[in-house]
Amino acid sequence: MPSVTRARRAGLRTRLAEAGLDALLVTRLVNVRYLTGFTGSAAALLVTAAGDGDLLVTDARYAERAGAEAPEVRRLVTRAGDWIAERLPAASTLGLESHDVSWDRARRLAELLPQVSVVPAAGHVEALRAVKDAAEIAALRRACAIADEAFGALLGWLAPGLTERQVAVRLERELVDRGAADRSFETIVASGPNGAVPHHRPGGRALERGDLVTVDFGALVHGYHSDMTRVAALGEPGVRLRAVFAVVRSAQEAGLAAAVDGARAEDVDAACRAVVADAGHAEGFLHGTGHGLGLEIHEDPYLGPGAAGTLASRMVVTVEPGVYLPGVGGVRVEDALAVTTGHPDVLTRTAKDLVVL
């Protein structure tokens, strides 16, 4: 891991030099973890463009963990807020993660560093994180495999009479039993008419014969999140919902085919949306097509109408079109994939045909 995080900081240095920054104060904990391996809940990381002043700062609660997880980074254990003053020469330029730092904290830093130019510098680490290295893809692949195994187990016990909440809790246990550190996010189990709510929170509704059941869930492995959505039917769901499923399934295949190196993010979304619109369900597609996966469940790049940016090899994204019919139900089909120059490397392997139990 030290060699991996060292290479990541080297990549950040290149970006800092190109942006005219002498240093970046990294305060988002997920970015500190990416750059050092440190997983504590209190930390900041100073990264210098010259490479001679990197410093991981935490408090006494995490002194031992910082030494174990980030052994090759210089460390400072303190609760004081003025440690940075003596580490930046006059006339240098310090970037702040302005998407994370509060206005009050930015002002305090500017007052503490009167000889330093303190400027906003959002998104530098996130831009690096968008393209995964081999270790990250391996963790994501394992997280997806665990989710595949857990959903396979679910198909053996899913039945009418179970509540949505019971299904969610049992599925999360299946993930942990197969090696996940935790769930990726609050599991979505939406049955029958609740399927019309894209982010339905599972509750006390008991599954019924004839329901479509949408299950959106993921596993957490080494800090990396998987994300998959599948739909099962408890008996024959009827002609209308079968037709909607077929539309969404076709839209998802179009999105997968479009998600290649060099594709514009908005074009992947457009590929899915065109299929849905042609089938007359444009108004039922309520969300974007997908998002990046990694140390966060939602991260760059985003795939939606007007989304900026271009896909590149080794980005990991979801493709998850959906159609939602109020009062009736809904369908969403989602895979995680690693972008390549050709066919996507689909990390979630569970079959996507409608399973009728």
Side-chain angles (χ1 to χ4, degrees):
M1 191 64 177
S3 62
V4 172
T5 54
R6 191 180 304 117
R8 293 171 182 171
R9 293 196 304 280
L12 178 58
R13 278 187 240 291
T14 299
R15 292 187 62 90
L16 298 185
E18 292 172 350
L21 298 173
D22 297 300
L24 178 70
L25 182 62
V26 181
T27 49
R28 288 199 72 210
L29 290 174
V30 66
N31 289 342
V32 172
R33 177 174 185 164
Y34 175 77
L35 294 168
T36 68
F38 177 65
T39 64
S41 65
L45 174 69
L46 183 68
V47 178
T48 62
D52 56 358
D54 292 1
L55 185 69
L56 175 63
V57 182
T58 187
D59 62 47
R61 295 173 298 164
Y62 295 113
E64 289 192 16
R65 184 188 294 189
E69 294 180 338
E72 39 86 41
V73 184
R74 286 193 304 156
R75 299 174 299 281
L76 175 66
V77 178
T78 182
R79 282 186 175 273
D82 59 355
W83 59 269
I84 197 171
E86 61 190 56
R87 287 171 172 83
L88 292 172
S92 59
T93 301
L94 172 67
L96 302 183
E97 291 193 304
S98 50
H99 53 314
D100 177 72
V101 177
S102 69
W103 172 249
D104 285 346
R105 186 175 185 186
R107 290 182 64 188
R108 287 196 300 271
L109 282 167
E111 292 169 357
L112 180 65
L113 304 167
Q115 305 303 314
V116 172
S117 179
V118 179
V119 301
H124 286 287
V125 184
E126 285 82 358
L128 294 174
R129 284 173 44 204
V131 177
K132 275 38 182 190
D133 57 38
E136 292 179 292
I137 290 179
L140 287 162
R141 195 181 301 279
R142 180 58 187 147
C144 290
I146 288 173
D148 284 330
E149 294 169 13
F151 188 76
L154 172 145
L155 293 178
W157 51 257
L158 190 70
L162 292 171
T163 67
E164 294 171 339
R165 184 61 186 153
Q166 287 173 327
V167 173
V169 170
R170 187 166 174 182
L171 177 57
E172 289 166 1
R173 183 67 196 183
E174 299 278 10
L175 295 171
V176 173
D177 286 348
R178 285 162 174 76
D182 202 346
R183 63 186 186 180
S184 283
F185 53 92
E186 184 178 1
T187 297
I188 296 169
V189 177
S191 62
N194 291 339
V197 181
H199 277 192
H200 173 70
R201 176 169 288 176
R205 183 185 186 276
L207 277 57
E208 299 176 2
R209 181 64 58 186
D211 280 350
L212 279 189
V213 183
T214 300
V215 183
D216 186 344
F217 70 109
L220 185 68
V221 173
H222 301 313
Y224 286 82
H225 301 75
S226 72
D227 194 359
M228 178 172 76
T229 306
R230 292 293 187 268
V231 179
L234 296 177
E236 178 54 48
V239 174
R240 187 180 185 188
L241 285 174
R242 268 197 173 276
V244 169
F245 181 89
V247 169
V248 173
R249 182 79 164 77
S250 295
Q252 208 250 355
E253 289 298 327
L256 292 177
V260 297
D261 184 15
R264 296 192 306 172
E266 64 180 351
D267 288 346
V268 180
D269 176 81
C272 290
R273 212 164 289 276
V275 175
V276 173
D278 287 347
H281 290 293
E283 293 184 358
F285 191 171
L286 304 177
H287 49 74
T289 284
H291 54 85
L293 279 178
L295 288 169
E296 294 178 286
I297 186 61
H298 292 99
E299 59 181 51
D300 292 339
Y302 290 90
L303 310 179
T310 300
L311 298 189
S313 289
R314 295 187 289 115
M315 287 182 172
V316 175
V317 299
T318 67
V319 175
E320 48 180 303
V323 171
Y324 308 93
L325 307 175
V328 178
V331 173
R332 182 167 63 256
V333 177
E334 174 186 20
D335 282 312
L337 64 94
V339 176
T340 72
T341 56
H343 294 293
D345 179 6
V346 180
L347 306 181
T348 40
R349 306 302 298 170
T350 298
K352 288 176 285 187
D353 294 333
L354 181 62
V355 177
V356 180
L357 300 174

